[in-house]
Amino acid sequence: IGLIWFKDSLGRCLFAFASVLSGGVFFWNLAGSAGISAWLLLIAFMVSRLLIGQRGWLLSRWRYWHGAVAFGWCCGLLTMIAFWGFDMAWFWSWDPQPGLLAAGLTFLAAACAVRLQAPLSAVVALVILGAVTFTMPGVMAAMLVFILAFHTRSLGASWLSILALLLFGVLYYYNLDISFLAKSMTLIGSGLILLLARATLRAQEVRHAF
């Protein structure tokens, strides 16, 4: 009702954000960790559909809703997964299934990259990153938002995804139950994968510019 009633972009963004949080609580009470994992994957899929098909949406009657709702859903997706990431520190009582959520987000990120004609090396890097960071699904959620923000040239979503990558990267590194040497090697490897993905995306942008 709030999304329909309020006509300003800020109000629609806030109500879209709240819809993700309230839906997460509902599905947690309905089906536990499997329910909230499925809900977050559904939100990620809808965000992907909104932003990949941005041109069509902006030419439709829903153009005034598109940007605010998409950004609100991105914020809600990353916030809900952040609640899971801080579960051990803040004693939250819910716990999504990280493997299921990470696998779904990795598949969505790779599918979006293929849809946007990214180089094969970038797609492989995304899959490897998802496999390495499966215990922290927020990393792949942030990567998905980053890919979509890159496609839509959205500065706000780009900064949101970068901050989320930093946050989830720190949480991933902190929660690793391995030696400091192994943590360092994992961190270096993850960084190299991200740099490879960035370089290939940048090269693709330069080629398309000419």
Side-chain angles (χ1 to χ4, degrees):
I1 293 173
L3 277 172
I4 298 171
W5 183 263
F6 286 87
K7 303 301 182 182
D8 61 294
S9 296
L10 179 60
R12 287 171 175 167
C13 180
L14 290 175
F15 279 107
F17 173 76
S19 69
V20 178
L21 302 187
S22 57
V25 174
F26 172 78
F27 281 99
W28 163 248
N29 290 324
L30 182 68
S33 60
I36 196 171
S37 297
W39 170 247
L40 293 175
L41 288 175
L42 176 62
I43 292 297
F45 174 75
M46 291 192 298
V47 167
S48 303
R49 294 285 295 177
L50 274 179
L51 294 180
I52 287 182
Q54 176 178 255
R55 180 176 299 179
W57 286 104
L58 292 179
L59 295 175
S60 71
R61 57 182 295 189
W62 307 104
R63 59 186 177 275
Y64 299 112
W65 298 58
H66 176 270
V69 172
F71 188 75
W73 279 351
C74 287
C75 292
L77 173 68
L78 296 175
T79 300
M80 289 296 289
I81 298 178
F83 285 167
W84 173 84
F86 284 105
D87 181 61
M88 296 299 294
W90 291 357
F91 302 103
W92 292 96
S93 59
W94 65 284
D95 181 21
Q97 299 177 359
L100 171 64
L101 191 54
L105 291 170
T106 301
F107 175 79
L108 275 176
C112 288
V114 172
R115 177 73 181 274
L116 299 175
Q117 299 180 347
L120 180 61
S121 57
V123 179
V124 173
L126 283 173
V127 174
I128 294 175
L129 182 64
V132 171
T133 61
F134 76 96
T135 58
M136 185 58 62
V139 174
M140 291 311 299
M143 282 300 300
L144 174 64
V145 174
F146 178 78
I147 292 170
L148 298 171
F150 181 87
H151 170 64
T152 58
R153 303 295 190 269
S154 173
L155 184 61
S158 296
W159 278 109
L160 175 68
S161 62
I162 291 171
L163 292 175
L165 273 172
L166 292 173
L167 170 66
F168 291 121
V170 170
L171 286 174
Y172 170 72
Y173 179 79
Y174 178 78
N175 290 328
L176 285 176
D177 189 19
I178 55 180
S179 66
F180 284 112
L181 177 60
K183 281 186 176 183
S184 300
M185 296 302 295
T186 303
L187 189 62
I188 292 172
S190 301
L192 290 175
I193 292 172
L194 289 174
L195 288 173
L196 175 63
R198 180 186 181 277
T200 51
L201 287 172
R202 182 62 179 170
Q204 180 191 16
E205 182 183 20
V206 172
R207 285 198 303 272
H208 287 175
F210 296 98

